[in-house]
Amino acid sequence: MPSSTVVNKILSKRVFEGKIKNGRKLLEDISRITFAYKLSPATINIPSTKAVEELHVYQLCLKSKEIPQKAIGELSKLIPYPILFCSIYEDDFCYGISLLNEQKLYVSAWNDAIIFNFNDTNLESVYESIVKKFLLHVDSATTLDFNQTIELDEKISKLQKEITILKNKRNKEKQFNKKTELNKEMKLLANQLTNLKG
C-alpha cells in the first residue's frame, strides 16, 4: 500500500458505541479500532465512481479469537464508504468486508493470507476485486460481471447447504423407500450444482 494512503488514526470506541444499538456490548470484544488506510483519488491516484468514492481499511484489535461479525456489520453501516476490516488477535489475523448497501458480510478464515489488488481502473473495480477474494465457490478470475458473480456464489452456497441437509436426513432415515427418494433429490441438486459450477 503506498505511503500516501496511510492514515493510522486510532478512533474512539465511544463515538461508535453511541451510534449503535447496544453499542457498548457489541464492541466490547474490540480493544482498539484504527483507521489504517484511505484509498481515494487524492491518496492513490485512482478515479472514484458514484458507487465507491473512497475505500477504507480498518484494523480491529480483538480481546479474543472470535470474529465480531455483528460489530463489523454495524460499523460498516456507519461509514458511507466500503471498508476492508483486518481483525487481529495476538499473532492471528482475518479479513472482513460487507457488500455495498446490503447486510451480506464476507469474512475470511483465520490467518488466510489473501493477496489483495489495490490497483485497478477505478475504486469500484478495486472494491469488487477485494470482495471476489472472499467468494468460496466462484473463481475470482471469472468473466461474469460483479453482480452475476455474487449471485452465482450465493446459489452454489445455498445448493451445497440443501445437499448437506438432505444427506443428514438420508443418513438418519430408516425406511428404504424414503432413503431412495432422498437420494433422488440429492442427485437432482448435485446435477444443478455441477451445472452451476461448470
Side-chain angles (χ1 to χ4, degrees), residues 7 9 14 18 21 29 44 51 64 108 122 124 129 138 143-145 164 172-173 175 195:
V7 178
K9 181 181 179 184
R14 283 195 193 127
K21 188 180 178 185
D29 289 333
I44 201 167
S64 66
S108 73
N122 59 51
E124 190 171 353
S129 77
V138 182
T143 55
L144 295 173
D145 78 22
T164 302
K172 289 176 185 173
E173 186 55 61
Q175 292 182 30
N195 290 337

Side-chain angles (χ1 to χ4, degrees), residues 9-159:
K9 181 181 179 184
I10 295 171
L11 304 175
S12 169
K13 269 177 53 176
R14 283 195 193 127
V15 172
F16 294 114
E17 286 170 355
K19 293 178 181 178
I20 298 171
K21 188 180 178 185
N22 300 324
R24 184 173 238 168
K25 183 164 178 43
L26 207 59
L27 301 177
E28 69 183 353
D29 289 333
I30 301 171
S31 59
R32 190 171 67 234
I33 302 171
T34 305
F35 181 3
Y37 300 96
K38 176 175 147 179
L39 283 73
S40 71
T43 64
I44 201 167
N45 201 22
I46 294 174
S48 61
T49 66
K50 195 174 179 182
V52 181
E53 294 173 28
E54 292 182 4
L55 181 65
H56 294 181
V57 180
Y58 279 25
Q59 190 179 79
L60 305 177
C61 290
L62 307 179
K63 295 176 184 174
S64 66
K65 196 178 175 180
E66 193 166 317
I67 301 164
Q69 293 195 26
K70 281 187 179 175
I72 289 172
E74 290 301 319
L75 290 170
S76 294
K77 288 180 203 170
L78 292 177
I79 289 113
Y81 309 112
I83 305 167
L84 174 64
F85 289 92
C86 179
S87 298
I88 297 169
Y89 175 70
E90 294 178 354
D91 293 331
D92 298 310
F93 65 91
C94 72
Y95 299 102
I97 195 163
S98 287
L99 274 185
L100 284 174
N101 308 316
E102 289 188 38
Q103 298 297 317
K104 178 79 176 166
L105 174 71
Y106 293 100
V107 179
S108 73
W110 284 101
N111 302 318
D112 191 357
I114 302 171
I115 297 166
F116 298 107
N117 177 19
F118 295 105
N119 193 14
D120 213 317
T121 53
N122 59 51
L123 288 173
E124 190 171 353
S125 296
V126 171
Y127 163 74
E128 289 176 357
S129 77
I130 290 170
V131 171
K132 284 180 180 178
K133 295 283 186 175
F134 288 87
L135 303 182
L136 300 174
H137 313 295
V138 182
D139 187 346
S140 61
T142 181
T143 55
L144 295 173
D145 78 22
F146 182 66
N147 290 330
Q148 290 172 323
T149 305
I150 297 294
E151 216 173 277
L152 179 60
D153 187 71
E154 286 175 1
K155 281 180 183 174
I156 292 171
S157 181
K158 191 179 172 191
L159 267 176

Side-chain angles (χ1 to χ4, degrees), residues 159 163 185-195:
L159 267 176
I163 290 169
E185 280 183 61
M186 274 172 55
K187 195 168 187 177
L188 279 170
L189 292 180
N191 288 338
Q192 287 177 34
L193 190 61
T194 303
N195 290 337

